[in-house]
Amino acid sequence: MKLNTLNKNKILKNIDVDRINIAIYNTIGSTNDKCKTLKQSNDFNIVLAEEQTKGKGRMGKEWSSPLGNIYMSIAFSGSKSNEPLSLISGLICQEAINKVIGEDSIGLKWPNDIILNKKKVGGILIEKEVLGSDVTNIVGIGLNLKLVKKESWWGDLSEYQHIDRNELINTILRKFISYCDKGIDNWKEKWETSCMHLNSNIKIQSNNIKINEGMCIGITNRGALRISSNKDGKICEYEYGDISIKGVY
Ligand code: BTN
């Protein structure tokens, strides 16, 4: 693993720097929180840190953020209102990692977990700041390149020693900007192709309480999960929640 420090020039290679404000910190509470304090004076405000002391995960969970991984937040105004930014951000990261490692081994777990070998190697936290009619989207991306202390369900990308953090961040940013400018063709089909639990039996839960169990049959255009319930075969759609799959974290 090339653990070179974060480098602005490498991160912004082949990117129109006039559209971007970028700030890189050694230590910060949370890159998402920092992003929220910045005025949206350019197309994209980007905050990166070597480590976070108050890294935030989904559902109020903590995101372990030691040195050596990727902690990035991207803020931008407006959105393609019908599309699920969270799922699309996961797809962008998954495609970027596969491109950089030169393999197809990274998959997705609904709604936006990034998976390698059935373990979670990355996650996305979307937040929105609304000020009058201005909406700023904050896309927080955490990717584990090397974790020393691991929970059983945490994974990392350390088997890919050749990953260059700056190159991976650059690849994510270029894909992200391209999505904001032009969209992604067939994002739903791409997401479903990368989904590691399509046609598997899954449990869906909210606040750790099981609310349904059944066969995952895909997602809707708005990113809701579609399940054919084990009880009665009824098709149910879920916009929020967490899922668990046997054998996966
Ligand atoms: C998840 O729970 O899966 C989402 C994890 C998101 C972590 C990233 S790290 C960069 C950004 N800053 C934060 O505090 N959280 C997100």
Side-chain angles (χ1 to χ4, degrees), residues 204 212 219-220 224-227 235-240:
I204 179 136
N212 203 345
I219 55 172
T220 66
L225 191 70
R226 302 184 72 226
I227 289 180
I235 309 296
C236 304
E237 296 181 357
Y238 295 95
E239 303 244 351
Y240 303 100

Side-chain angles (χ1 to χ4, degrees), residues 35-98:
C35 243
K36 282 188 208 160
T37 68
L38 302 175
K39 191 172 167 338
Q40 192 63 38
S41 60
N42 213 335
D43 287 356
F44 302 95
N45 276 348
I46 293 158
V47 175
L48 280 148
E50 297 284 2
E51 65 176 347
Q52 299 183 120
T53 54
K54 288 195 176 130
K56 304 187 299 183
R58 287 178 62 239
M59 318 255 186
K61 290 183 193 149
E62 184 194 334
W63 186 257
S64 172
S65 307
L67 288 171
N69 301 302
I70 292 179
Y71 312 109
M72 168 161 71
S73 298
I74 308 168
F76 66 99
S77 298
S79 65
K80 301 182 193 305
S81 54
N82 289 328
E83 294 183 351
L85 182 58
S86 63
L87 271 73
I88 289 177
S89 300
L91 177 66
I92 286 171
C93 289
Q94 181 252 359
E95 288 184 343
I97 302 170
N98 277 340

Side-chain angles (χ1 to χ4, degrees), residues 122-159:
I124 315 279
L125 176 67
I126 307 280
E127 297 187 89
K128 281 191 195 289
E129 280 287 280
V130 182
L131 236 161
S133 58
D134 293 342
V135 180
T136 303
N137 308 284
I138 295 150
V139 178
I141 299 169
L143 296 176
N144 295 330
L145 301 195
K146 181 145 185 60
L147 281 180
V148 179
K149 213 174 157 193
K150 292 182 189 177
E151 298 283 349
S152 59
W153 62 92
W154 292 355
D156 65 26
L157 297 168
S158 55
E159 69 192 73

